Amino acid sequence: MKLTNHVLVAQTVLGLASAIDQPNTAANIVQPWTFNPLPVGDVKPAGWLLGEMKAMANGLPGHEHDFYIFVNQSSWLNTPGSGGTEYSNLNEALPYWFNGLVPLAYQLGDDRLKNQVKEVAGKVLALQADDGWIGPEVGDKRNFWARTPFFLGLIQLAEADSQWSEAIVKALQKFFQLGNKMLHNNSQGFTRCANDVDCSWGEVRIADMIIVIQWLLEKYPSDNDSQLWDTMNMFYDQTSYKWDVWYDPATYRKVVDPSEGGITPYIHGVNVGQGKSY
């Protein structure tokens, strides 16, 4: 999807000031994607791809929920603030797993994997904080990053199984109302985090979070749309990492020195893939 004024997906960002100054005007319209994504399940794997996906389902990826402590003992599955098993304070292991398992389960029609998806989605949504936060962090440990892969998994689940749509949309709307307040509060949890929390991951990968907001705007318009636009604008304005600028054909650097200070975020493999969402 691309935006008329604030173009964040598949185009260069243009007219940003106009979108911010006029958040409630008709100019704020989510336009069709340049390459329209297909909902999970619309295309079924066959041949070589089917074999590879079955190998994943029958191998380690399809059994992490059974043995991998960073998934089945994750802090995401416990009351926020009560702890769990994580490899870092970014709490990203379960979200990564969830974002990958949803399409694997539903593309294959694998009931075992679907049940894992449903169990985790149900537990995480049930643990949503009263103020809207989704995830295990409390207080100044809250930061946006790990929500991004988890939310991408949620919107895929909503598309693959309509029974989940209402609960997922309600939870995301509530979360982004809180997120808007946090961004207005001197970029809390985005560029301003606790000293032991690395905010940069959330900043450099924010394009994927913006995709989630655009999904809400496109699929589930509501009275809260102007606030969602405001949230998108702040995410773009507040991040230090402007991928649309980095990929500008006129200035794009085809060769860089990996030892150069400040270059790592732009050559990190995962970051690059997510940055191309702009």
Side-chain angles (χ1 to χ4, degrees):
M1 201 173 324
K2 59 186 179 182
L3 310 182
T4 299
N5 281 332
H6 189 174
V7 185
L8 286 168
V9 176
Q11 267 195 340
T12 305
V13 178
L14 299 172
L16 180 56
S18 174
I20 295 173
D21 294 341
Q22 305 174 58
N24 298 308
T25 67
N28 292 330
I29 299 171
V30 180
Q31 298 296 326
W33 289 78
T34 298
F35 301 104
N36 196 37
L38 296 171
V40 173
D42 271 21
V43 177
K44 297 296 184 182
W48 173 85
L49 180 58
L50 177 60
E52 292 298 297
M53 293 182 70
K54 285 183 175 179
M56 291 175 65
N58 295 327
L60 291 178
H63 288 85
E64 285 189 348
H65 188 267
D66 302 327
F67 72 89
Y68 194 48
I69 59 174
F70 300 124
V71 171
N72 61 25
Q73 296 179 28
S74 170
S75 58
W76 282 77
L77 304 178
N78 302 322
T79 302
S82 64
T85 304
E86 303 287 347
Y87 60 71
S88 82
N89 64 0
L90 293 175
N91 305 324
E92 63 187 6
L94 183 138
Y96 272 138
W97 166 84
F98 184 77
N99 188 31
L101 198 71
V102 172
L104 183 64
Y106 282 89
Q107 292 291 94
L108 290 177
D110 188 310
D111 288 335
R112 178 179 65 86
L113 298 184
K114 286 182 182 180
N115 288 335
Q116 293 179 11
V117 166
K118 295 173 184 178
E119 177 187 341
V120 169
K123 180 163 287 189
V124 171
L125 293 181
L127 291 171
Q128 184 171 19
D130 291 341
D131 65 0
W133 186 255
I134 297 175
E137 302 85 2
V138 295
D140 65 356
K141 302 299 182 183
R142 289 179 170 181
N143 68 96
F144 286 98
W145 157 235
R147 271 118 293 276
T148 297
F150 192 80
F151 289 178
L152 289 175
L154 284 179
I155 65 175
Q156 291 180 88
L157 176 57
E159 292 182 345
D161 187 343
S162 61
Q163 296 182 45
W164 283 89
S165 299
E166 183 177 355
I168 288 170
V169 170
K170 182 179 179 181
L172 291 177
Q173 289 280 11
K174 187 175 182 180
F175 173 85
F176 283 118
Q177 289 176 23
L178 172 65
N180 185 270
K181 294 177 181 177
M182 293 172 65
L183 294 173
H184 276 292
N185 183 25
N186 194 25
S187 200
Q188 177 189 354
F190 186 44
T191 67
R192 181 175 64 86
C193 296
N195 289 336
D196 62 340
V197 176
D198 186 353
C199 273
S200 66
W201 298 109
E203 281 193 72
V204 77
R205 299 175 176 181
I206 197 57
D208 279 356
M209 182 69 88
I210 290 172
I211 286 176
V212 176
I213 298 176
Q214 292 184 0
W215 180 84
L216 286 172
L217 289 168
E218 181 180 59
K219 304 291 186 180
Y220 298 94
S222 71
D223 294 338
N224 192 46
D225 284 1
S226 62
Q227 188 183 69
L228 289 174
W229 276 90
D230 183 44
T231 302
M232 284 198 297
N233 289 336
M234 285 192 289
F235 273 138
Y236 179 80
D237 286 346
Q238 293 177 13
T239 181
S240 303
Y241 304 98
K242 309 296 189 189
W243 286 98
D244 55 308
V245 176
W246 174 258
Y247 283 121
D248 185 334
T251 57
Y252 178 66
R253 299 171 59 187
K254 296 181 180 180
V255 179
V256 298
D257 180 354
S259 66
E260 177 186 333
I263 199 65
T264 298
Y266 293 103
I267 61 175
H268 185 286
V270 177
N271 293 355
V272 168
Q274 291 173 300
K276 287 185 176 179
S277 297
Y278 277 99

Tab-separated table of all heavy atoms in Angstrom, residues 104-139:
chain	number	residue	atom	x	y	z
A	104	LEU	N	3.106	-20.500	7.735
A	104	LEU	CA	3.438	-21.912	7.535
A	104	LEU	C	2.237	-22.788	7.886
A	104	LEU	O	1.874	-23.696	7.131
A	104	LEU	CB	4.640	-22.294	8.406
A	104	LEU	CG	5.150	-23.736	8.261
A	104	LEU	CD1	5.689	-23.979	6.848
A	104	LEU	CD2	6.234	-24.030	9.306
A	105	ALA	N	1.601	-22.500	9.012
A	105	ALA	CA	0.463	-23.306	9.467
A	105	ALA	C	-0.717	-23.212	8.510
A	105	ALA	O	-1.340	-24.232	8.162
A	105	ALA	CB	0.045	-22.855	10.864
A	106	TYR	N	-1.021	-22.000	8.068
A	106	TYR	CA	-2.228	-21.812	7.269
A	106	TYR	C	-2.014	-22.083	5.784
A	106	TYR	O	-2.955	-22.465	5.086
A	106	TYR	CB	-2.799	-20.412	7.511
A	106	TYR	CG	-3.540	-20.356	8.815
A	106	TYR	CD1	-2.880	-20.029	10.004
A	106	TYR	CD2	-4.896	-20.667	8.886
A	106	TYR	CE1	-3.556	-20.007	11.215
A	106	TYR	CE2	-5.579	-20.648	10.092
A	106	TYR	CZ	-4.902	-20.316	11.254
A	106	TYR	OH	-5.571	-20.306	12.458
A	107	GLN	N	-0.804	-21.905	5.291
A	107	GLN	CA	-0.547	-22.287	3.906
A	107	GLN	C	-0.621	-23.803	3.739
A	107	GLN	O	-1.082	-24.304	2.718
A	107	GLN	CB	0.829	-21.785	3.456
A	107	GLN	CG	0.960	-20.275	3.321
A	107	GLN	CD	0.154	-19.714	2.166
A	107	GLN	OE1	-0.971	-19.292	2.328
A	107	GLN	NE2	0.736	-19.724	0.991
A	108	LEU	N	-0.159	-24.518	4.757
A	108	LEU	CA	-0.188	-25.979	4.695
A	108	LEU	C	-1.516	-26.557	5.176
A	108	LEU	O	-1.803	-27.726	4.938
A	108	LEU	CB	0.949	-26.563	5.539
A	108	LEU	CG	2.371	-26.371	5.023
A	108	LEU	CD1	3.372	-26.951	6.017
A	108	LEU	CD2	2.555	-27.022	3.653
A	109	GLY	N	-2.304	-25.761	5.880
A	109	GLY	CA	-3.521	-26.298	6.487
A	109	GLY	C	-3.201	-27.314	7.569
A	109	GLY	O	-3.918	-28.300	7.751
A	110	ASP	N	-2.121	-27.074	8.309
A	110	ASP	CA	-1.622	-28.005	9.319
A	110	ASP	C	-2.302	-27.714	10.657
A	110	ASP	O	-2.017	-26.705	11.306
A	110	ASP	CB	-0.101	-27.839	9.448
A	110	ASP	CG	0.544	-28.896	10.331
A	110	ASP	OD1	0.053	-29.107	11.448
A	110	ASP	OD2	1.555	-29.478	9.900
A	111	ASP	N	-3.182	-28.588	11.094
A	111	ASP	CA	-3.961	-28.344	12.313
A	111	ASP	C	-3.085	-28.280	13.556
A	111	ASP	O	-3.374	-27.518	14.486
A	111	ASP	CB	-5.028	-29.429	12.489
A	111	ASP	CG	-6.160	-29.296	11.483
A	111	ASP	OD1	-6.380	-28.173	10.990
A	111	ASP	OD2	-6.822	-30.314	11.198
A	112	ARG	N	-2.030	-29.073	13.596
A	112	ARG	CA	-1.133	-29.038	14.764
A	112	ARG	C	-0.512	-27.661	14.913
A	112	ARG	O	-0.495	-27.090	16.010
A	112	ARG	CB	-0.046	-30.107	14.617
A	112	ARG	CG	0.964	-30.121	15.773
A	112	ARG	CD	1.990	-31.225	15.564
A	112	ARG	NE	2.808	-30.989	14.385
A	112	ARG	CZ	3.918	-30.246	14.385
A	112	ARG	NH1	4.333	-29.660	15.509
A	112	ARG	NH2	4.620	-30.085	13.283
A	113	LEU	N	-0.011	-27.108	13.821
A	113	LEU	CA	0.610	-25.794	13.872
A	113	LEU	C	-0.433	-24.699	14.083
A	113	LEU	O	-0.180	-23.717	14.787
A	113	LEU	CB	1.409	-25.532	12.596
A	113	LEU	CG	2.576	-26.490	12.334
A	113	LEU	CD1	3.344	-26.059	11.097
A	113	LEU	CD2	3.501	-26.599	13.535
A	114	LYS	N	-1.590	-24.854	13.482
A	114	LYS	CA	-2.661	-23.880	13.707
A	114	LYS	C	-3.013	-23.791	15.186
A	114	LYS	O	-3.246	-22.700	15.718
A	114	LYS	CB	-3.908	-24.264	12.914
A	114	LYS	CG	-3.839	-24.017	11.423
A	114	LYS	CD	-5.177	-24.403	10.793
A	114	LYS	CE	-5.189	-24.227	9.300
A	114	LYS	NZ	-6.501	-24.604	8.712
A	115	ASN	N	-3.075	-24.937	15.849
A	115	ASN	CA	-3.408	-24.936	17.274
A	115	ASN	C	-2.355	-24.205	18.099
A	115	ASN	O	-2.676	-23.527	19.079
A	115	ASN	CB	-3.584	-26.373	17.775
A	115	ASN	CG	-4.861	-27.016	17.266
A	115	ASN	OD1	-5.827	-26.321	16.937
A	115	ASN	ND2	-4.881	-28.341	17.187
A	116	GLN	N	-1.081	-24.333	17.696
A	116	GLN	CA	-0.028	-23.602	18.390
A	116	GLN	C	-0.210	-22.101	18.198
A	116	GLN	O	-0.081	-21.315	19.145
A	116	GLN	CB	1.341	-24.042	17.874
A	116	GLN	CG	1.713	-25.475	18.211
A	116	GLN	CD	3.060	-25.874	17.648
A	116	GLN	OE1	3.832	-25.039	17.169
A	116	GLN	NE2	3.367	-27.162	17.693
A	117	VAL	N	-0.499	-21.703	16.976
A	117	VAL	CA	-0.728	-20.292	16.663
A	117	VAL	C	-1.878	-19.752	17.505
A	117	VAL	O	-1.779	-18.687	18.138
A	117	VAL	CB	-1.023	-20.107	15.162
A	117	VAL	CG1	-1.599	-18.721	14.894
A	117	VAL	CG2	0.231	-20.324	14.341
A	118	LYS	N	-2.986	-20.464	17.513
A	118	LYS	CA	-4.174	-20.013	18.232
A	118	LYS	C	-3.923	-19.938	19.736
A	118	LYS	O	-4.373	-18.997	20.415
A	118	LYS	CB	-5.350	-20.935	17.941
A	118	LYS	CG	-5.814	-20.909	16.502
A	118	LYS	CD	-6.879	-21.964	16.246
A	118	LYS	CE	-7.289	-22.023	14.798
A	118	LYS	NZ	-8.302	-23.097	14.546
A	119	GLU	N	-3.217	-20.926	20.270
A	119	GLU	CA	-2.922	-20.933	21.697
A	119	GLU	C	-2.113	-19.701	22.100
A	119	GLU	O	-2.430	-19.013	23.077
A	119	GLU	CB	-2.149	-22.201	22.070
A	119	GLU	CG	-1.722	-22.255	23.536
A	119	GLU	CD	-0.814	-23.432	23.844
A	119	GLU	OE1	-0.801	-24.403	23.042
A	119	GLU	OE2	-0.102	-23.384	24.868
A	120	VAL	N	-1.068	-19.415	21.328
A	120	VAL	CA	-0.202	-18.283	21.668
A	120	VAL	C	-0.920	-16.960	21.431
A	120	VAL	O	-0.859	-16.053	22.270
A	120	VAL	CB	1.105	-18.352	20.857
A	120	VAL	CG1	1.900	-17.061	20.987
A	120	VAL	CG2	1.946	-19.537	21.324
A	121	ALA	N	-1.622	-16.829	20.319
A	121	ALA	CA	-2.344	-15.592	20.046
A	121	ALA	C	-3.372	-15.322	21.135
A	121	ALA	O	-3.497	-14.189	21.620
A	121	ALA	CB	-3.028	-15.667	18.683
A	122	GLY	N	-4.104	-16.335	21.520
A	122	GLY	CA	-5.111	-16.161	22.554
A	122	GLY	C	-4.528	-15.747	23.889
A	122	GLY	O	-5.066	-14.865	24.564
A	123	LYS	N	-3.399	-16.363	24.243
A	123	LYS	CA	-2.784	-16.035	25.535
A	123	LYS	C	-2.223	-14.625	25.536
A	123	LYS	O	-2.417	-13.871	26.492
A	123	LYS	CB	-1.682	-17.051	25.853
A	123	LYS	CG	-0.977	-16.798	27.173
A	123	LYS	CD	-0.202	-18.016	27.660
A	123	LYS	CE	-1.142	-19.087	28.170
A	123	LYS	NZ	-0.415	-20.184	28.850
A	124	VAL	N	-1.537	-14.242	24.469
A	124	VAL	CA	-0.935	-12.906	24.420
A	124	VAL	C	-2.016	-11.824	24.427
A	124	VAL	O	-1.905	-10.821	25.138
A	124	VAL	CB	-0.029	-12.768	23.178
A	124	VAL	CG1	0.423	-11.314	23.012
A	124	VAL	CG2	1.192	-13.689	23.305
A	125	LEU	N	-3.068	-12.020	23.657
A	125	LEU	CA	-4.139	-11.019	23.619
A	125	LEU	C	-4.862	-10.934	24.955
A	125	LEU	O	-5.279	-9.846	25.385
A	125	LEU	CB	-5.121	-11.341	22.498
A	125	LEU	CG	-4.583	-11.206	21.071
A	125	LEU	CD1	-5.669	-11.525	20.053
A	125	LEU	CD2	-4.003	-9.816	20.816
A	126	ALA	N	-4.990	-12.061	25.634
A	126	ALA	CA	-5.644	-12.062	26.946
A	126	ALA	C	-4.820	-11.320	27.983
A	126	ALA	O	-5.366	-10.829	28.985
A	126	ALA	CB	-5.899	-13.497	27.402
A	127	LEU	N	-3.509	-11.233	27.755
A	127	LEU	CA	-2.608	-10.562	28.698
A	127	LEU	C	-2.404	-9.085	28.358
A	127	LEU	O	-1.605	-8.410	29.010
A	127	LEU	CB	-1.245	-11.265	28.715
A	127	LEU	CG	-1.220	-12.675	29.331
A	127	LEU	CD1	0.123	-13.351	29.079
A	127	LEU	CD2	-1.510	-12.616	30.827
A	128	GLN	N	-3.117	-8.573	27.353
A	128	GLN	CA	-2.982	-7.158	27.007
A	128	GLN	C	-3.273	-6.292	28.224
A	128	GLN	O	-4.257	-6.488	28.938
A	128	GLN	CB	-3.923	-6.779	25.868
A	128	GLN	CG	-3.765	-5.335	25.402
A	128	GLN	CD	-4.552	-5.025	24.132
A	128	GLN	OE1	-5.488	-5.746	23.780
A	128	GLN	NE2	-4.177	-3.962	23.426
A	129	ALA	N	-2.394	-5.325	28.475
A	129	ALA	CA	-2.543	-4.457	29.646
A	129	ALA	C	-3.763	-3.554	29.504
A	129	ALA	O	-4.235	-3.276	28.403
A	129	ALA	CB	-1.276	-3.615	29.829
A	130	ASP	N	-4.260	-3.074	30.623
A	130	ASP	CA	-5.454	-2.223	30.616
A	130	ASP	C	-5.258	-0.963	29.779
A	130	ASP	O	-6.205	-0.447	29.188
A	130	ASP	CB	-5.830	-1.832	32.045
A	130	ASP	CG	-6.347	-3.018	32.856
A	130	ASP	OD1	-6.760	-4.029	32.235
A	130	ASP	OD2	-6.331	-2.936	34.101
A	131	ASP	N	-4.007	-0.471	29.736
A	131	ASP	CA	-3.760	0.757	28.964
A	131	ASP	C	-3.518	0.489	27.485
A	131	ASP	O	-3.308	1.411	26.698
A	131	ASP	CB	-2.601	1.553	29.554
A	131	ASP	CG	-1.250	0.832	29.477
A	131	ASP	OD1	-1.202	-0.309	28.958
A	131	ASP	OD2	-0.245	1.412	29.932
A	132	GLY	N	-3.532	-0.798	27.089
A	132	GLY	CA	-3.389	-1.153	25.685
A	132	GLY	C	-2.088	-1.827	25.305
A	132	GLY	O	-1.976	-2.389	24.208
A	133	TRP	N	-1.075	-1.794	26.173
A	133	TRP	CA	0.215	-2.379	25.824
A	133	TRP	C	0.085	-3.880	25.578
A	133	TRP	O	-0.612	-4.585	26.308
A	133	TRP	CB	1.239	-2.135	26.931
A	133	TRP	CG	2.623	-2.592	26.574
A	133	TRP	CD1	3.275	-3.696	27.027
A	133	TRP	CD2	3.526	-1.948	25.675
A	133	TRP	NE1	4.518	-3.789	26.475
A	133	TRP	CE2	4.708	-2.730	25.633
A	133	TRP	CE3	3.437	-0.789	24.905
A	133	TRP	CZ2	5.797	-2.386	24.847
A	133	TRP	CZ3	4.539	-0.442	24.113
A	133	TRP	CH2	5.696	-1.239	24.095
A	134	ILE	N	0.761	-4.368	24.559
A	134	ILE	CA	0.813	-5.793	24.243
A	134	ILE	C	2.256	-6.250	24.365
A	134	ILE	O	3.139	-5.733	23.682
A	134	ILE	CB	0.283	-6.077	22.822
A	134	ILE	CG1	-1.189	-5.685	22.713
A	134	ILE	CG2	0.469	-7.552	22.465
A	134	ILE	CD1	-1.757	-5.814	21.300
A	135	GLY	N	2.494	-7.210	25.244
A	135	GLY	CA	3.839	-7.709	25.451
A	135	GLY	C	4.197	-7.764	26.923
A	135	GLY	O	3.449	-7.300	27.781
A	136	PRO	N	5.375	-8.302	27.235
A	136	PRO	CA	5.743	-8.577	28.625
A	136	PRO	C	6.345	-7.410	29.389
A	136	PRO	O	6.529	-7.504	30.608
A	136	PRO	CB	6.779	-9.691	28.478
A	136	PRO	CG	7.443	-9.402	27.162
A	136	PRO	CD	6.341	-8.877	26.275
A	137	GLU	N	6.646	-6.299	28.708
A	137	GLU	CA	7.375	-5.211	29.365
A	137	GLU	C	6.440	-4.349	30.219
A	137	GLU	O	5.260	-4.189	29.918
A	137	GLU	CB	8.058	-4.321	28.325
A	137	GLU	CG	9.033	-5.055	27.418
A	137	GLU	CD	8.364	-5.718	26.226
A	137	GLU	OE1	7.125	-5.573	26.079
A	137	GLU	OE2	9.061	-6.406	25.471
A	138	VAL	N	7.018	-3.797	31.250
A	138	VAL	CA	6.295	-2.848	32.098
A	138	VAL	C	7.181	-1.620	32.336
A	138	VAL	O	8.399	-1.677	32.186
A	138	VAL	CB	5.900	-3.472	33.467
A	138	VAL	CG1	4.904	-4.610	33.271
A	138	VAL	CG2	7.137	-3.961	34.221
A	139	GLY	N	6.544	-0.503	32.697
A	139	GLY	CA	7.291	0.704	33.034
A	139	GLY	C	8.172	1.185	31.905
A	139	GLY	O	7.789	1.164	30.732
